[in-house]
């Protein structure tokens, strides 16, 4: 009898300990600050029947809020037909846009409660058009869905690039790696280029990607991260030069290369180029590039597009102001893709008291949906945009940039 009671007491203690551990595990309810939302809490009780697309703008270094991205998403919704009817013509809850830019400041890459906070603010949040390329969204807790996200701006750093099936985040525009690969291929394919001198931070993503692709193409590369470029050029005698660095150092290197008399192919990574719709902190009005230099661009520029019909289509879709903003048309097209995927969600799933069902259906349809965007002609599905994003090459002539080529990754 004594032994049985002892075993029973031990068993009870184990159950208590297990219950505490389970509740403390992410998604559990124990050991959580009072009032903090559970990452896996259902939103059904608070759902009011209004679905929304989240617009996650880039942080403005000036302390303001990126409004271009939200305006592009709102424009896409209006052009798509506004709230519209449900799939199959059946009445469905209305669809709107919510600006998430102000609700991300305290987010950390591993903070699973970020999406829970968003769902607490907007229980009907169906998907996100993301602009802030620095913010890695966490998983949606331990539930069966991930909040579907289309990244409409440049993504930096990841090698290999993350896939939608693993992250729930689909890129619709070129990343740093994509841009670097296209530039390196262009240099390698230029007649007479067999040796390239690279001056820049060897650990920086653009430099590493350019060097790796050049070598993969059989080009001999000399990469320096110290010393004057003119000295490296004199010793290596390259056929082409690639520079990557900050505005101040790059301005000095450009002057050195020009003064050295080097007359081969000259390319640079523009530190003032935008990564999204927000203002670039590195942008410097006094920074200028001499004629003859080549650079790479990851966003559409209506001022440089030689296709008059496409310029007119973009201007008509976005309006004169938005059409001239970097990444605005990419954001617009990404939002149109998200909306096209939303059209495939059944009325039954939309009208359910559980928004998770609508989110899951949208996430499944997103990669393969046909996109009817403003640019057109590049790809028809968002999954193709992720696999083969468009990259532009520009050359400096007469003090201005001129679009030289439009290529796919």
């Amino acid at each position: 009898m004594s032994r049985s009671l002892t075993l029973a007491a031990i068993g009870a203690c184990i159950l208590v300990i297990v219950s505490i551990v389970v509740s403390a595990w992410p998604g559990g309810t124990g050991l959580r600050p009072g009032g903090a939302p559970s990452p896996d809490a259902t939103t059904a009780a608070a759902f009011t029947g209004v679905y929304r697309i989240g617009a996650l703008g880039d942080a403005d270094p000036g302390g303001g809020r990126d409004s271009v991205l939200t305006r592009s998403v709102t424009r896409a919704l209006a052009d798509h037909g506004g709230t519209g009817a449900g799939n199959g013509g059946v009445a469905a809850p209305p669809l709107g846009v919510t600006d998430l830019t102000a609700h991300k400041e305290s987010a950390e890459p591993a903070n699973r409660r970020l999406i829970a906070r968003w769902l607490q603010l907007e229980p009907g949040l169906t998907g996100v058009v993301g602009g802030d390329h620095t913010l890695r969204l966490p998983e949606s807790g331990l539930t069966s869905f991930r909040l579907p996200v289309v990244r409409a701006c440049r993504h930096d750093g990841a090698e290999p690039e993350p896939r939608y099936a693993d992250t729930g985040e689909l890129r619709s525009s070129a990343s740093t790696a994509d841009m670097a690969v296209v530039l390196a291929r262009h240099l390698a394919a230029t007649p007479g280029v067999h040796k390239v001198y690279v001056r820049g931070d060897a650990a920086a993503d653009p430099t590493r990607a350019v060097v790796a692709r050049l070598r993969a193409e059989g080009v001999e590369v000399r990469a320096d991260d110290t010393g004057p470029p003119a000295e490296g050029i004199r010793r290596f005698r390259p056929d082409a030069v690639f520079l990557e660095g900050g505005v101040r150092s790059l301005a000095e290197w450009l002057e050195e290369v020009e003064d050295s008399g080097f007359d081969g192919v000259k390319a640079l990574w523009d530190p003032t180029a935008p990564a999204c719709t927000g203002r670039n902190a590195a942008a410097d009005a006094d920074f200028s590039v001499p004629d003859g230099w080549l650079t790479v661009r990851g966003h559409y520029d209506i001022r440089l597009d030689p296709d008059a019909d496409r310029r007119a289509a973009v201007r008509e879709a976005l309006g004169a102001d938005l059409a001239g903003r970097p990444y605005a048309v990419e954001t617009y097209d990404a939002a149109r893709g998200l909306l096209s995927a939303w059209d495939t969600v059944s009325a039954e799933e939309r009208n359910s008291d559980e928004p998770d069902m609508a989110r899951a259906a949208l996430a499944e349809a997103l990669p393969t949906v046909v996109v009817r965007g403003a640019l057109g002609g590049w790809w028809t599905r968002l999954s193709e945009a992720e696999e083969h994003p468009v990259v532009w090459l520009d050359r400096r002539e007469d003090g201005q940039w001129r679009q030289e080529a439009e290529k796919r990754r």
Side-chain angles (χ1 to χ4, degrees), residues 5 7 35 118 124 142-143 148 171 184 196 200 216 277 285 292 308 314 324 357 370 382:
L5 291 174
L7 291 175
W118 287 353
L142 301 178
T143 56
R171 294 181 298 108
V196 177
T277 52
V314 171
M357 292 180 61
V370 175
L382 284 174

Side-chain angles (χ1 to χ4, degrees), residues 183-197 214 217-221 238-241 262 264-266:
L183 177 59
R185 283 177 177 166
H186 180 82
L187 294 176
T190 302
V193 173
H194 307 287
K195 298 167 62 178
V196 177
Y197 173 75
L214 284 172
E217 298 286 337
V219 176
E220 185 180 354
V221 178
D239 307 307
V241 168
F262 177 75
V265 180
K266 297 176 287 188

Side-chain angles (χ1 to χ4, degrees), residues 32-369:
R32 181 182 297 115
S38 166
D40 306 307
T42 178
T43 59
F47 181 54
T48 60
V50 177
Y51 285 108
R52 296 188 183 278
I53 297 175
L56 183 64
D58 199 10
D60 189 323
R65 187 183 301 180
D66 172 19
S67 64
V68 173
L69 189 136
T70 303
R71 289 164 56 199
S72 296
V73 175
T74 303
R75 184 97 184 198
L77 177 60
D79 291 347
H80 190 76
T83 58
N87 187 305
V90 179
L95 182 65
V97 177
T98 185
D99 188 355
L100 298 175
T101 308
H103 305 289
K104 63 171 185 170
E105 290 84 351
S106 61
E108 298 177 0
N111 185 1
R112 289 174 52 250
R113 289 188 173 88
L114 173 62
I115 291 179
R117 288 201 300 271
W118 287 353
L119 294 181
Q120 191 177 44
L121 289 168
E122 295 289 352
L125 186 65
T126 63
V128 174
V129 179
D132 187 348
H133 62 288
T134 64
L135 180 63
R136 267 181 45 212
L137 294 183
E139 297 181 11
S140 307
L142 301 178
T143 56
S144 59
F145 78 94
R146 290 174 182 267
L147 186 65
V149 178
V150 178
R151 293 283 189 177
C153 299
R154 194 176 84 200
H155 171 79
D156 294 334
E159 292 183 13
E161 297 290 353
R163 311 312 298 172
Y164 178 74
D166 300 323
T167 64
E169 299 180 26
L170 192 151
R171 294 181 298 108
S172 64
S173 59
S175 67
T176 292
D178 296 323
M179 295 163 62
V181 165
V182 169
L183 177 59
R185 283 177 177 166
H186 180 82
L187 294 176
T190 302
V193 173
H194 307 287
K195 298 167 62 178
V196 177
Y197 173 75
V198 175
R199 177 69 172 89
D201 182 0
D205 292 325
T207 305
R208 289 190 295 112
V210 165
V211 170
R213 176 52 57 174
L214 284 172
R215 288 174 175 164
E217 298 286 337
V219 176
E220 185 180 354
V221 178
R222 173 72 59 82
D224 284 343
D225 54 9
T226 58
E231 181 64 19
I233 292 173
R234 185 185 66 80
R235 293 183 178 182
F236 187 51
R237 298 185 179 277
D239 307 307
V241 168
F242 170 72
L243 304 181
E244 181 277 327
V247 172
R248 183 170 299 180
S249 57
L250 194 59
E252 296 176 358
W253 296 343
L254 286 169
E255 185 176 354
E256 282 190 33
V257 174
E258 292 293 301
D259 292 343
S260 72
F262 177 75
D263 59 357
V265 180
K266 297 176 287 188
L268 64 94
W269 190 271
D270 185 3
T272 67
C276 194
T277 52
R279 189 161 53 89
N280 185 357
D284 188 339
D286 296 329
F287 178 74
S288 63
V289 178
D291 287 350
W293 284 81
L294 185 73
T295 193
V296 64
R297 172 165 45 91
H299 67 280
Y300 175 79
D301 193 327
I302 195 171
R303 301 167 302 175
L304 303 181
D305 187 359
D307 188 335
D309 291 339
R310 188 165 59 184
R311 292 199 308 269
V314 171
R315 191 174 290 109
E316 181 180 0
L318 276 77
D321 178 44
L322 272 180
R325 301 296 185 96
Y327 286 100
V329 68
E330 284 82 3
T331 300
Y332 175 89
D333 283 357
R336 289 297 298 266
L338 197 67
L339 290 165
S340 295
W342 179 249
D343 285 345
T344 69
V345 178
S346 70
E348 179 182 3
E349 289 165 322
R350 295 191 198 189
N351 285 298
S352 168
D353 289 335
E354 299 179 5
D356 287 7
M357 292 180 61
R359 277 188 281 265
L362 175 63
E364 183 178 358
L366 189 58
T368 57
V369 72

